[in-house]
Amino acid sequence: MVELRYLKYFLAVAETGSFTRAAADCFVAQSALSQQVARLEGEVGARLFHRTSRSVRLTAAGELLVPLARRILAEVDDARAELDALTGLRRGRLRLGLIQTAGGATDVAAVLGEYRRRYPGIELHVRTAPSAEMVAAVAEGTLDLAVVGLVADRATTAGLVRQVLARDPLVAVVPGAHPLAGRARIALTELAGAAGEYPTLIQGARGTGLRHQVEAAFARAGLAADQSFEIGQIHDMVRLAAAGVGITVVPRSAVRGPGSCESLTTGAAVLALTDRQAVNEVSVVHDAARLSPAGAAFLAVLGTGRVD
């Protein structure tokens, strides 16, 4: 019978493309991990990886085993969670995906703090990635749920349940010397027409809900959003705009209100947009068919985790 740790180590190598990185992620010696993978290959009777001095690639047998291994490990986790539920939520694991949490109508940091207080025995595994990537991970079963910034169709296409947490209007942040800096509200066509010495649009990372919403807003205005300047963190986008590098478009909660980076807007102007569809929608997504008790408990805490 194949041992579960063989499958765990096999997936770690498949996902990292490296025995060295997989061993580090699994907190085992590389030699031990290599031996376990070799034993798995002996059990299944096929080579799972093409190994060279420079690369590690899956064989056809390895490609076939990846989804099966993920399903087996997910089902074992589900079984453990169901057994935990019989005696109360005293142990288990929550695999959570999070977008950037600064600002917003839902204080996810506070929700996590409350969750930790209520369920100290639950092991938290939290990752931050582009929203599209995290939705795929929930659909695949490698995340229990995720707080993402996506419009409805992406989560629905993946067959997930989606609950809207907040709808956050987008605003433009421009340098203080920008010709439109004195305005309260503008159209994106005006922003493009008055670009002058600030032609650069500072964009968020590809695959994020914010990037999707900003580009959709530019498309509605009949404009092509600049693709040349990409930054992973919202606060860096705001700082660069304030420093005169260019202009940016971010959720209003990122620059106004509790938990925001409002202090970074010194020397910049924050302008509302006339486009009422220009909204960053934050949702939590999960697969109802395999939501663990730990995940259900997080949803319950999240339902009371809003702040005014």
Side-chain angles (χ1 to χ4, degrees):
M1 182 178 295
V2 173
E3 295 192 28
L4 293 177
R5 71 174 182 275
Y6 295 176
L7 297 178
K8 177 183 175 183
Y9 296 159
F10 160 72
L11 283 179
V13 177
E15 290 167 358
T16 62
S18 164
F19 277 82
T20 301
R21 289 197 297 272
D25 289 348
C26 295
F27 302 101
V28 296
Q30 182 177 337
S31 58
L33 182 138
S34 297
Q35 289 172 4
Q36 304 295 341
V37 171
R39 288 175 184 171
L40 177 60
E41 290 177 322
E43 293 282 355
V44 301
R47 288 179 63 91
L48 300 175
F49 297 103
H50 294 296
R51 303 169 176 85
T52 71
S53 59
R54 295 185 177 181
S55 68
V56 176
R57 294 183 296 107
L58 287 164
T59 63
E63 294 279 4
L64 180 65
L65 184 58
V66 166
L68 298 175
R70 285 175 176 161
R71 191 180 313 151
I72 290 168
L73 292 176
E75 288 178 355
V76 170
D77 284 342
D78 290 344
R80 286 172 175 162
E82 293 296 331
L83 291 171
D84 288 341
L86 292 175
T87 56
L89 200 59
R90 292 198 295 266
R91 64 185 177 90
R93 179 181 66 176
L94 176 66
R95 300 167 302 174
L96 176 66
L98 289 179
I99 56 173
Q100 294 183 54
T101 59
T106 300
D107 187 342
V108 180
V111 171
L112 275 172
E114 178 61 23
Y115 186 84
R116 173 64 82 193
R117 284 188 289 274
R118 293 188 193 183
Y119 308 108
I122 298 299
E123 183 182 343
L124 290 175
H125 292 254
V126 179
R127 60 181 280 203
T128 298
S131 292
E133 182 179 323
M134 292 194 293
V135 167
V138 174
E140 189 179 69
T142 55
L143 284 178
D144 297 310
L145 45 79
V147 176
V148 298
L150 287 175
V151 289
D153 57 345
R154 295 195 178 187
T156 302
T157 300
L160 304 176
V161 176
R162 171 179 171 273
Q163 177 186 345
V164 177
L165 301 176
R167 302 187 77 248
D168 201 355
L170 298 181
V171 296
V173 181
V174 303
H178 194 281
L180 297 176
R183 295 275 297 277
R185 184 179 298 271
I186 60 164
L188 284 177
T189 49
E190 295 179 277
L191 191 62
E197 60 183 297
Y198 307 107
T200 302
L201 173 64
I202 303 164
Q203 284 263 50
R206 296 177 190 274
T208 60
L210 175 59
R211 175 72 170 258
H212 175 81
Q213 298 288 10
V214 169
E215 293 188 345
F218 272 80
R220 284 192 299 272
L223 303 169
D226 183 11
Q227 305 286 324
S228 63
F229 204 119
E230 179 179 310
I231 294 293
Q233 298 293 323
I234 291 177
H235 70 268
D236 287 335
M237 296 164 64
V238 173
R239 287 182 63 206
L240 288 164
V245 175
I247 60 177
T248 193
V249 179
V250 299
R252 183 175 63 188
S253 66
V255 292
R256 291 288 184 267
S260 71
C261 50
E262 186 169 1
S263 62
L264 300 179
T265 61
T266 302
V270 177
L271 315 176
L273 301 179
T274 56
D275 181 0
R276 294 185 180 276
Q277 296 181 65
V279 173
N280 188 54
E281 196 164 78
V282 178
S283 306
V284 59
V285 295
H286 69 278
D287 185 340
R290 58 185 178 196
L291 184 64
S292 67
F298 181 83
L299 288 179
V301 176
L302 187 63
T304 62
R306 296 186 179 240
V307 294
D308 295 329

